[in-house]
Amino acid sequence: MSRFAIGVDLGGTNLRVAAINENGGLFDQLSFLTEVEKGREDVVDRLSKGILQLVERWKDIYQLAGIGVGIPGILKMKEGILVASPNLPGWENFNIRAQIARRLNSPFYLENDANAAALGEKWIGSGRACDHLCFLTMGTGIGGGLILNGKIWHGVAGMAAELGHVTIYPNGRLCNCGNYGCLEAYAAASAVVKAAKEILESGKASSGLQKAASAGTKLTSAIIYRLAREGDASSVSIFEGVGRALGLAIANFINIFDIDTFVLGGGAVDAWDAFEKSMFEEVPKRSYIYRNDPRKILKSHLGNQAGLFGAAYLAFQS
Amino acid sequence: MSRFAIGVDLGGTNLRVAAINENGGLFDQLSFLTEVEKGREDVVDRLSKGILQLVERWKDIYQLAGIGVGIPGILKMKEGILVASPNLPGWENFNIRAQIARRLNSPFYLENDANAAALGEKWIGSGRACDHLCFLTMGTGIGGGLILNGKIWHGVAGMAAELGHVTIYPNGRLCNCGNYGCLEAYAAASAVVKAAKEILESGKASSGLQKAASAGTKLTSAIIYRLAREGDASSVSIFEGVGRALGLAIANFINIFDIDTFVLGGGAVDAWDAFEKSMFEEVPKRSYIYRNDPRKILKSHLGNQAGLFGAAYLAFQS
């Protein structure tokens, strides 16, 4: 009897529950809107019911290997408490493990969503062939996941891989974490918008960016990326800055870990062609290890499904 | 029959070979001058003879657990080749494993000296109680060693923990590695001297530093530390800069690894009281993990014997 696992990806907007086999084949999926406004108990209800539904549907055909749940935010791994989550307002210090456990009556793995995504990429994504992987997810913020010897590296308090909050420009922009110059403040989607606003305020913006701003549409990183593709000088330079920030951070990670595979995911990775040149220029400048022995820096293969696959893999891996 | 191991610490100046028991008791030691100028074959001869001498002396009383040799420089671990070593001029691309093996006729462990020192501190030094440890050795340069789950982390090419070459000030001083703004360029003993020269050249040096410079004695980090203790303003600010650089780097390592114990060793750690205040101010600014859950940042307990003990422990650990 072949095995399957349930993977859950709880996002701020979407909640997905999938049945995945040991070869990485996703053969059944339920998708909900998260609807955080209905309250966290309601979200946990739907999440748990989704799991039970898929288990019920397949448990006589395949053997259930286990259940994995990816959660956005800072988790106290031992206690199963969600300390804070920018994507789930009102869930601070929520004992999510206890809440799910009460509804499921069967064991499950809980994991930070970026860690789960890193594991997914290592399993059947861009990091398939490697033992160690560093994953960066570029969304509104920047999340990170570290795979060492094939397993998620949690650190002593389960807080490892806060890679978006590594200082890269000590006197740089204020970050949401209270520090100045974090990677997140220079390479997240929100940082792209911040950089555009700074250029606009300086009065030195090129015409494309100026027009977009004065047209009254809300500036997003997607719009600025479109402008960069059209050749707008300010927008091009903003994404060059993103690449330099990423390159600097990745070079540091290479010097620290001597890891061979880096995978970039998240929505802002769509702008890859706008930042890759400056990123690949910066890494060798900052790392003699890389100069002597280049490493792989790749786009996510699984896209927004990385976390779903990684969550399921938690069960297969155990 | 209780066991013993041989630990070797090959430095640019001194070569030490010690017999150490499983409790971390050093009960016999041979010390030589390295005398690099006599040629690398000659050094390897003395190193090997020292090992054989101690093995011979104790092998009937205790059981030999093994031999560990710590080497300064970049080692290709698999091949046993010393790629480069600032402290051993002329040893570039030297197959040191083959050279020692030919003389010993028994297996031995080869390790980078900073990694060995990290392991020594983990075994019976400042990191005794921890599973994970980050070690920084502050000498002419800055070396690093990472212990994860009780073992040295080597990375994919054996180049991990080049912690002195993490970029902390992207537009900062040129480093020997070719990058700008490495930690080594701000916190090594050589960086202290560079900072003093920069202040002197700017014409803004305080009187103590000016006098020391014009007296014609060669400026060293030890002299600048003495001036700092005497209250010389420029010298005080130089070591505050060392502390900020260390604090920034350590905060990044916490955000990346979530490690709980950091140990600083090497000669420049003698100036601890001159840099600790600014270091401990900087870490919480740069790491919200640390703000919520402070970590241990400690002076080396074993001093210049850390590498010797760590080399011996390689044999006990295996």
Side-chain angles (χ1 to χ4, degrees), chain A residues 153-159 161-162 165 167-168 170 177 179-180 248 252 255-258 286 288-289 291 295, chain B residues 153-159 161-162 165 167-168 170 177 179-180 248 252 255-258 286 288-289 291 295:
Chain A
W153 175 261
H154 286 115
V156 288
M159 309 272 282
E162 284 292 343
H165 298 290
T167 304
I168 56 166
C177 76
N179 182 26
Y180 289 85
L248 171 52
N252 279 354
N255 294 341
I256 293 168
F257 288 114
D258 188 16
R286 302 293 186 181
Y288 67 79
I289 296 179
R291 285 202 293 277
R295 308 304 163 96
Chain B
W153 176 261
H154 286 114
V156 289
M159 309 273 281
E162 284 292 344
H165 298 292
T167 304
I168 55 165
C177 76
N179 182 26
Y180 290 84
L248 171 52
N252 278 354
N255 293 341
I256 294 168
F257 288 115
D258 188 16
R286 302 294 187 182
Y288 67 78
I289 296 179
R291 284 202 294 276
R295 308 305 164 95

Side-chain angles (χ1 to χ4, degrees), chain A residues 190-269:
Chain A
S190 57
V192 169
V193 177
K194 276 183 202 162
K197 287 183 179 162
E198 284 172 10
I199 295 179
L200 285 163
E201 279 164 21
S202 77
K204 290 176 186 163
S206 51
S207 60
L209 186 59
Q210 269 176 354
K211 263 186 233 166
S214 55
T217 44
K218 198 185 164 206
L219 277 181
T220 63
S221 64
I223 288 174
I224 299 161
Y225 170 56
R226 207 195 61 212
L227 291 170
R229 293 205 61 159
E230 290 165 2
D232 171 65
S234 294
S235 305
V236 166
S237 85
I238 288 169
F239 280 99
E240 284 171 355
V242 169
R244 278 194 303 276
L246 286 169
L248 171 52
I250 290 171
N252 279 354
F253 301 153
I254 293 171
N255 294 341
I256 293 168
F257 288 114
D258 188 16
I259 270 185
D260 55 351
T261 307
F262 293 81
V263 179
L264 305 183
V269 88

Side-chain angles (χ1 to χ4, degrees), chain A residues 13-35:
Chain A
T13 309
N14 295 298
L15 164 59
R16 290 172 298 166
V17 186
I20 294 171
N21 68 30
E22 275 187 286
N23 301 319
L26 189 161
F27 58 90
D28 199 355
Q29 181 173 323
L30 306 172
S31 297
F32 312 86
L33 290 174
T34 306
E35 298 179 289

Side-chain angles (χ1 to χ4, degrees), chain B residues 36-47:
Chain B
V36 179
E37 65 282 3
K38 290 190 177 169
R40 55 200 200 180
E41 297 261 339
D42 186 88
V43 175
V44 175
D45 270 345
R46 266 173 291 139
L47 184 158

